[in-house]
Amino acid sequence: MTDAPVLLPPTPAAAPQKRYWGFWATVGLGAAVLLVFFVVQLLVILVAGIALSMPELDQSLNTQDIVDRVMDALNARLGLLQSIATIASGILGTGLILLFIRARRRADVQEYLGVNSLSLKSILVSVVTVIGLIAVFDGLAWWLGYSSGGGIVADVYNTSIWPPLFWIAVVVFAPLFEEAFFRGFLFAGFRQSPLGAAGAVALTALAWALMHALQYSLFSIGWIFVLGVAIGTVRHKTGSIWSAFIMHALVNFIATLSLAMNWNI
């Protein structure tokens, strides 16, 4: 009788855990990020408005007078308060995105958000794409006889008090948060779902456009959607979120420059 080795069946390897949140988890966590973003913005503006109006308040005023004084203080400094709120909410929102990514086991922040270097060619493609789209948009607006007129955005700039802070908020902090969220966190989760890259580009562009629905006209929202599709496509092709940030920041820079030129006339 020989002592033959006993052959055991191989132990099945454990299925590797996915490094990205699934579609519905991405939607739910994304909604939480947006909720925090908007709540922080609202709180910063309201608290600052109340604080600024405090010297003008006294016990003889009724509730409506107090509300009117607070609203006057808000409207007179809306641009300044919006700048501060954008920076504060952008920092907290981005921090929450990083926290949610860290909560996903085996997830790497750099890979998840696409924080990869860009070639000079990719940078040029990003810049040329934005300039071309702006030219098309402006030409279409002229042909249709449409004029943006600045609207609420112009009012915000005119009450910014200290324009450099407005520039920093709009050209740096807003694109950083929005791209980390839309073309970073949401794009990564949606792309891994049955939607694929094309669906992720379209869905993030739609969500981005709807986020600005209360600020702009329907024509401008359509422009934001088209721009979002372009930004998402370039971000996917280059594999880097920096291309999205460059495109977004450049659009905001040109728009803010136009506001500043009109304001100074």
Side-chain angles (χ1 to χ4, degrees), residues 20-23 26 112 184-195 200:
Y20 298 88
W21 291 106
F23 177 84
T26 299
Y112 208 109
F185 184 76
L186 293 186
F187 181 81
F190 294 161
R191 183 175 54 180
Q192 304 302 317
S193 74
L195 289 176

Side-chain angles (χ1 to χ4, degrees), residues 225-248:
F225 173 75
V226 172
L227 180 63
V229 170
I231 293 177
T233 301
V234 174
R235 180 258 184 269
H236 174 62
K237 295 295 184 181
T238 61
S240 174
I241 199 172
W242 292 120
S243 60
F245 171 74
I246 289 172
M247 296 174 74
H248 192 161

Side-chain angles (χ1 to χ4, degrees), residues 168-218:
I168 292 171
V170 172
V171 180
V172 179
F173 280 90
L176 275 176
F177 165 72
E178 291 181 22
E179 294 313 317
F181 181 66
F182 290 104
R183 259 68 64 171
F185 184 76
L186 293 186
F187 181 81
F190 294 161
R191 183 175 54 180
Q192 304 302 317
S193 74
L195 289 176
V201 168
L203 189 54
T204 53
L206 178 62
W208 188 45
L210 292 177
M211 179 184 176
H212 297 84
L214 297 179
Q215 296 174 269
Y216 301 104
S217 66
L218 187 60

Side-chain angles (χ1 to χ4, degrees), residues 13-19 104-106:
Q17 187 171 358
K18 295 181 179 179
R19 291 176 292 175
R104 187 66 171 175
R105 292 183 180 180
R106 299 182 69 242

Side-chain angles (χ1 to χ4, degrees), residues 49-130:
I50 294 172
L52 290 170
S53 60
M54 284 299 291
E56 302 177 5
L57 302 180
D58 56 65
Q59 296 181 350
S60 65
L61 298 175
N62 58 38
T63 302
Q64 186 59 52
D65 289 336
I66 293 175
V67 172
D68 291 340
R69 295 289 178 88
V70 172
M71 292 305 299
D72 289 342
L74 285 175
N75 291 329
R77 304 171 180 86
L78 183 59
L80 176 62
L81 300 179
Q82 185 65 58
S83 299
I84 297 172
T86 297
I87 294 172
S89 59
I91 292 173
L92 290 177
T94 303
L96 194 56
I97 291 171
L98 297 177
L99 181 64
F100 286 155
I101 294 175
R102 289 292 188 185
R104 187 66 171 175
R105 292 183 180 180
R106 299 182 69 242
D108 178 77
V109 172
Q110 180 175 350
E111 178 186 5
Y112 208 109
L113 297 180
V115 186
N116 303 312
S117 59
L118 275 179
S119 65
L120 178 59
K121 178 181 177 181
S122 296
I123 294 174
L124 291 175
V125 167
S126 301
V127 172
V128 170
T129 300
V130 165

